[in-house]
Amino acid sequence: MKLWRYQSELAWRSIRRDARLSMVMVLSLGLAGALWGFGTAHYLRVHGPRDTFRAAVHHVELPHDEGAVRDLIGSGIDNVAYVPRIYATAPEVQQLASSGLPTRSVTTFHSVVWVDPPDATPPAPRVVRYVDPDFFALFERPFRWGGPYQPGDEMRALPRIVIGHGLNQSLFDGDNSVGQKVRMEGRDFEIAGVIDGFAPYLQEWDIAATGFDEDAVYLPVAFWQRLRTVPTPLLLQSSGPVAFDDLITSDAVFVNFWIELPTADHVQRYRRHLDAEFGDRYTLRSLPEFQAAFPSLPTAVTFYFGLGWFLILGGGFNLVRLLLAKNLARGPELGIHRALGASRRQIFRRQLLEGAHVSAFAALIAFFAVMPLMHIYNRLVHETDVPLAMTPLLGASIIGMTFLIGLLGAAYPAWRSGRVAPTLYLGRA
């Protein structure tokens, strides 16, 4: 232990002796680590761990006209290609929900409504999700305040709704807004609950909506036709336009349907129902099977994540080059240490400790430098209102990866230092 402490002190002295060179090494690796972390933040937001919920949640895929989806590809959202497979028509959903099983099911789709701010500013468009009350329990959406609306709440004089985290921040400065009013499309609604935290970027209940803004408002499905908002995305299988009043009976694909089948008996009984309604034209999947069948598709984020790896590896390579140059200049000193009895292992350990010190400082710089990058991005680039977030996983990844790359980069120069012959510089001592 004393030897390790002594070698660590020698490494620290070596860093201070060449303070400018050490600073260059720390900054180059630290900034490379910050850029890697910035790309990783984007990647984890899109392609990070997906929610598991409960295996009892099931989805039914029905065949639709996939050729018609070409009109939707231009939206720039890759997962829209899943629309004909994960959505259904309104008549099909009625068949799916008519099993009579005593179990929960969710019908959901999303659109856009105009929300009036509390001040005198003009109304702004917000994403609305029409959803049954069971949605919040089935997909485990946590509440910050209040709770879900209940069946029949849409018949009240002041209908009740749920709002998302982002809208609550925007309209009520993040305070408890339960019981407050929100005016949308010329109607007043009472807030029954506020969701805790932003929705995931990749929403399991509607992966075709990936890339849109967060669900700002949750409304009972019954209000869809009253507000006359067009579902998005909307796949029209038939040729020619369809009037809004005819969407409910048309072959337009826009509704997402999920059902809870908690036991094997429920699954078998529901399969018998599907056989009677659709023959062999369906595929029933549990949530884990659905996740495997519909993975998140590659996006531009994948490219930038790869670019981040290139940058951090470049930072590690630059550390190797600078440490080699530094150790070459210290050759006479290392040769004397070898002549006085220092073993190759001790020289290697000392030089590796120096690299570890540099890497530790670089890891801290990477962690603190990535946060202003994320803040600037969230404020200036409105790709979606689901922001980049510093999570424990991301923070540990930035610190750990930057330190690991630096340590691996220091290993080769440390090994080269240990190979210095003790007799090479004796005549100069």
Side-chain angles (χ1 to χ4, degrees), residues 35-359:
L35 292 174
W36 177 85
F38 185 59
T40 303
H42 283 277
Y43 188 86
L44 289 178
R45 181 179 64 164
V46 179
H47 302 289
R50 300 175 70 172
D51 292 329
T52 55
F53 307 117
R54 57 193 70 180
V57 180
H58 285 69
H59 178 270
V60 180
E61 177 184 345
L62 296 171
H64 299 109
D65 182 4
E66 297 191 26
V69 79
R70 278 177 272 178
D71 294 334
L72 299 172
I73 297 287
S75 65
I77 299 172
D78 298 307
N79 285 351
V80 80
Y82 287 151
V83 165
R85 298 182 59 191
I86 67 173
Y87 288 0
T89 68
E92 287 171 340
V93 168
Q94 289 183 341
Q95 292 175 275
L96 292 171
S98 63
S99 64
L101 291 176
T103 185
R104 295 182 293 190
S105 64
V106 171
T107 300
T108 179
F109 52 92
H110 88 342
S111 184
V112 175
V113 294
W114 289 85
V115 177
D116 293 348
D119 52 23
T121 57
R126 298 284 187 169
V127 173
V128 59
R129 177 161 295 281
Y130 294 99
V131 66
D132 299 321
D134 284 339
F135 164 82
F136 304 100
L138 201 62
F139 287 104
E140 300 176 4
R141 299 298 293 131
F143 279 86
R144 174 68 172 170
W145 294 290
Y149 45 77
Q150 301 300 322
D153 277 2
E154 68 274 10
M155 303 304 297
R156 294 165 45 125
L158 194 61
R160 304 175 78 223
I161 62 173
V162 170
I163 65 173
H165 175 82
L167 184 62
N168 190 62
Q169 293 281 352
S170 175
L171 298 185
F172 303 101
D173 296 325
D175 296 332
N176 184 355
S177 59
V178 172
Q180 298 288 335
K181 295 180 182 179
V182 174
R183 189 168 183 81
M184 298 181 297
E185 302 287 346
R187 296 170 179 257
D188 288 328
F189 297 85
E190 179 185 344
I191 298 174
V194 179
I195 296 296
D196 186 15
F198 289 95
Y201 187 92
L202 185 66
Q203 304 175 9
E204 301 296 345
W205 51 87
D206 196 352
I207 60 174
T210 295
F212 287 100
D213 283 348
E214 182 193 33
D215 296 335
V217 183
Y218 299 85
L219 274 171
V221 176
F223 258 97
W224 165 55
Q225 289 184 295
R226 299 186 201 177
L227 297 183
R228 302 184 68 81
T229 54
V230 177
T232 57
L234 178 68
L235 169 61
L236 300 175
Q237 298 184 88
S238 58
S239 60
V242 177
F244 180 86
D245 292 334
D246 296 331
L247 283 177
I248 198 70
T249 58
S250 73
D251 65 353
V253 178
F254 64 93
V255 189
N256 214 333
F257 178 80
W258 297 85
I259 187 168
E260 184 180 34
L261 303 174
T263 68
D265 179 63
H266 282 87
V267 173
Q268 292 302 319
R269 291 167 61 188
Y270 193 64
R271 283 191 182 277
R272 288 196 292 269
H273 168 72
L274 294 176
D275 289 338
E277 294 289 338
F278 302 102
D280 59 354
R281 296 175 49 250
Y282 71 89
T283 302
L284 177 64
R285 295 186 178 94
S286 65
L287 181 60
E289 293 170 338
F290 177 85
Q291 292 172 329
F294 299 96
S296 54
L297 299 175
T299 65
V301 171
T302 307
F303 168 77
Y304 290 113
F305 181 57
L307 181 61
W309 274 106
F310 177 80
L311 292 172
I312 196 172
L313 291 176
F317 178 78
N318 188 55
L319 180 67
V320 172
R321 185 173 61 85
L322 293 175
L323 284 176
L324 280 174
K326 183 176 182 178
N327 292 343
L328 181 62
R330 296 272 179 88
E333 177 184 326
L334 295 174
I336 292 173
H337 278 281
R338 290 281 285 117
L340 293 177
S343 66
R344 289 179 175 177
R345 178 177 298 179
Q346 290 171 337
I347 295 294
F348 172 81
R349 188 183 301 164
R350 171 190 158 183
Q351 299 304 112
L352 191 63
L353 281 171
E354 182 175 348
H357 281 75
V358 170
S359 301

Side-chain angles (χ1 to χ4, degrees), residues 328-396:
L328 181 62
R330 296 272 179 88
E333 177 184 326
L334 295 174
I336 292 173
H337 278 281
R338 290 281 285 117
L340 293 177
S343 66
R344 289 179 175 177
R345 178 177 298 179
Q346 290 171 337
I347 295 294
F348 172 81
R349 188 183 301 164
R350 171 190 158 183
Q351 299 304 112
L352 191 63
L353 281 171
E354 182 175 348
H357 281 75
V358 170
S359 301
F361 283 112
L364 291 176
I365 286 179
F367 176 77
F368 288 107
V370 76
M371 288 192 282
L373 291 177
M374 294 168 59
H375 177 74
I376 292 172
Y377 181 89
N378 290 335
R379 290 292 299 272
L380 300 181
V381 182
H382 189 79
E383 171 202 2
T384 171
D385 62 0
V386 180
L388 298 178
M390 177 59 71
T391 63
L393 173 61
L394 177 60

